[in-house]
Structures are given as C-alpha cells and as structure tokens.
Amino acid sequence: PADIYGIVSEHAKNQMRKDAEEGNEFAPTWLAFDIDRKATKRSCMCLSYGLTAYSNRAYINEWYEEQIHDKGRKAPFDEDERYRATNYLSKVVWQSMEEILYKPKRCMTWFQECARLVADSGKPLFWKSASGFPVHQEYHNLHQQQVNTWISGTATCVKFNEESDQISNRRMINGVSPNVVHSVDSAALHLTTCRANDLGIWDFSMIHDSYSTHATKTTLLNETLREVFVELFSVDILSDWLHQQMEAHPHINFPAPPSYGDADINAIKHSKYFFS
C-alpha cells in the first residue's frame, strides 16, 4: 500500500493532469519529470509542525535541486522559468496536503488556539506524556542587546538576545504543536524500550523514530513496537491533553478538540512499512 507521501504526490499529479488539460504551461513538464513521494515527504512531515507556504516552497526547491545536481537528471526548466515552475508545483502540493491531511492541520490549529489562550493569561504550558514524562513549555520574548567595546585597539560590537519576563505569544503558539508531537514520539520510544526490556532486549540504536537492535531480536522488537503504538493511540490523546490544561488553567474556556477520523490503529499490526 502507498504511504501518505505517495498519496499526496499522486493527488498532486491528478490535479496537474487537470491543469494540463486546461492549458497550464508547467503541468505537462512536471508530469513528464514525475513527482515522486520524496517531493512531498518533507512538507508532509512538517505540516503539523507549523509548515508555511514559504517553507513548503523551499522544500520543493530543495527536492528539485537534489534531482538535478545530486541525481544528475536533466533540468526540465531553464533558470528564467524555474521560479515560476517550482512556485506552481509548491501550490499544487500545498493544496493536495490541505485536502488529504486536513485532520492533522485541524489538530495543529487546535493546539495553537489552546496555546494562545494560555499565553494570553501570561502562563506557561505543562503536560505529562503517556509515559509520565513532564513537559514544560515556556517561551519568553527576546530583546536584542548590544555591547560596544574595544578589544586590542579594535572597535568591536557584540549582539546577543536576552529573554524578558514576558511570555511570548508567537513562540508559544508556534512551539506547541511540534512539542506535543515530539512528546508523543518520545513516549512511544520510552514505552517500547521498557516493554522490550521485559522481553529480554537490552541493546538498542535509536534515532528519533528509528528503532533498531541486534538482528536476532529484530522480529521481537518489530512486534513490541506495534503493540505499544496500538496501546498508545487507542487512548484519546487529545482529550487527555485538554483535561490536563483545564486542570492547570481552570479559568480558561478551551475549545473542544477536533474529531477523529475512521482509521483503525490496529491496522498497523499488518502494515508492511510501519517498522523498518
């Protein structure tokens, strides 16, 4: 089965086929060049972290650079039209993500709205992850300071940022969605490691969401990881996070969390590419 990056890229190509029929100048060339899953991967990964249209275009441009310079493919556009071509592709990818990944986008917006309400009250955010790890998010406004001095007879200017006592609404809002997601990722790693220890697995090589161990234990780690993820996401994570915020900030009227889709978390037990 296709992964989410492939689904988004295929959706983008379907849109470009329609655009090509309507006479868009770039769509036929992009379709011939082919928009694979790698073209949409970074944007899809960062969508719930506060991806902007600007950063989406930057990722599309980086993918294009890799195709031309790293893989040696022939550039389908000259430099005079390259900006307009990649700008068109980034808009198509953005629209595809909006239509396919609307649930993660709603979750991000909801987390940001909750963070804004807490920041408006001048308070930091606290929550406990599923593994019991305490998370403390507290971003303050930054003020640039400057020191002018003489060093060995040369005028020197040193600039640095200094935090104020005031909570930064912007940084609190931008940070909450990635921080919640990372706290869930870390809980999955923590719980998987503890469960694996109970089963006799003590050697690991972990990089964020990449899990590995000795070859003789890989099958067991594979099964353990899937079991932990099913248990972790069988709980209403959004409501649990909301209840923690309501207890910490009883004076704030938080919005209700977004509704869930109809995906069955148990399906990952049979997902070919869930663990690699």
Side-chain angles (χ1 to χ4, degrees), residues 18 31 56 59 72 110 125 130 157 163 207 212-213 230 261:
K18 296 178 182 178
L31 287 169
N56 173 54
Y59 292 147
W110 177 71
L125 275 168
C157 175
E163 283 193 343
I207 303 175
S212 62
T213 186
V230 169

Side-chain angles (χ1 to χ4, degrees), residues 27 94 104 132 149 196 230:
W94 182 272
T149 185
V230 169

